[in-house]
Amino acid sequence: RMMIQWLVFPLLWMAAVTAIRISPPLRFAGGTLLASPFIISFHSSLSPKPSPLSRSAPILRTFYSAGGVLGVAGLALAVAGLLMNLWSNARRLLSWYSVQKGAVEGDGPAAASLDDGGEVGGFGHLTPLVPGVNLPMSHLGYLFLAAAASLLVHEFGHALAAFAEGVKVSGFGVFVCVIVPGAYVRFDEDTIDFLPPTKRLRIFAAGVWHNLLLCLAVWGLRKCLPWVVAAAYTP
């Protein structure tokens, strides 16, 4: 069944790419749908007017200032976590190597695995999700939707922070690279380069700030969902 899924998806992808490439230019919402062998993308040059946000700009700056502070703190914690993970992996790898060497030379215990969950197992703390390996193919659609929603919220944060700082957003776009979604916004680079560091920090950290708030919102919804469902089914 897994083999069939891996065969069907490339066929559907090639059909979609071919249909987009041979059809007339697909234009909607001020943008154009494009396709290449590995990427299907939509780009729009529309730039929403910042005037509706002019009155809220001071509030938005304060909001994104908090995001900038937490973004810098989060970056420091992420670097520390990665270094700790690297050190843990190195220690486990050295332990595994010593066990394997002892087993080969006949003066040690039986060979151990990096993934056996024992003293030398559990290779690190970060595990990538690989469809068909440690992620069921049936969950791939949910992962795609979650990643797409996270990316859209992330890029919306950059755009909203840019509007609050008076930076023009020259365009936005979304794309899919095979099974990996993506999104982006384009700024007026000349304006960005001459902004004070604090304003640039607010814009650059806004995406992660939005993702953090999204995570908290989903976590809160998940915690409240049993109560909501129970209330709905209470006679």
Side-chain angles (χ1 to χ4, degrees), residues 33-207:
L33 186 66
L34 304 172
S36 64
F38 297 102
I39 297 177
I40 297 177
S41 63
F42 171 81
H43 176 78
S44 176
S45 297
L46 289 178
S47 179
K49 297 181 180 180
S51 55
L53 298 174
S54 57
R55 296 181 180 179
S56 304
I59 300 175
L60 289 174
R61 292 193 192 102
T62 302
F63 174 72
Y64 288 117
S65 293
V69 172
L70 291 179
V72 172
L75 179 61
L77 290 176
V79 171
L82 289 174
L83 291 176
M84 292 176 61
N85 187 74
L86 179 62
W87 173 246
S88 175
N89 286 344
R91 291 184 59 187
R92 292 172 186 271
L93 184 60
L94 290 174
S95 298
W96 174 82
Y97 176 75
S98 63
V99 171
Q100 297 285 29
K101 184 179 179 181
V104 171
E105 295 176 353
D107 57 356
S113 168
L114 284 171
D115 300 318
D116 63 3
E119 184 177 354
V120 295
F123 191 61
H125 308 287
L126 301 178
T127 303
L129 294 178
V130 182
V133 178
N134 58 357
L135 177 72
M137 293 297 295
S138 59
H139 293 180
L140 190 58
Y142 301 113
L143 178 63
F144 180 89
L145 292 176
S150 178
L151 287 166
L152 291 175
V153 170
H154 181 100
E155 297 302 327
F156 178 70
H158 290 309
L160 194 59
F163 290 149
E165 300 296 344
V167 176
K168 179 182 178 181
V169 176
S170 59
F172 68 93
V174 294
F175 64 89
V176 177
C177 182
V178 188
I179 60 173
V180 181
Y184 61 89
V185 292
R186 290 180 178 173
F187 304 119
D188 184 349
E189 295 183 2
D190 294 335
T191 305
I192 286 282
D193 291 340
F194 290 99
L195 284 178
T198 53
K199 292 188 175 183
R200 279 186 289 175
L201 176 62
R202 282 196 286 261
I203 295 174
F204 294 152

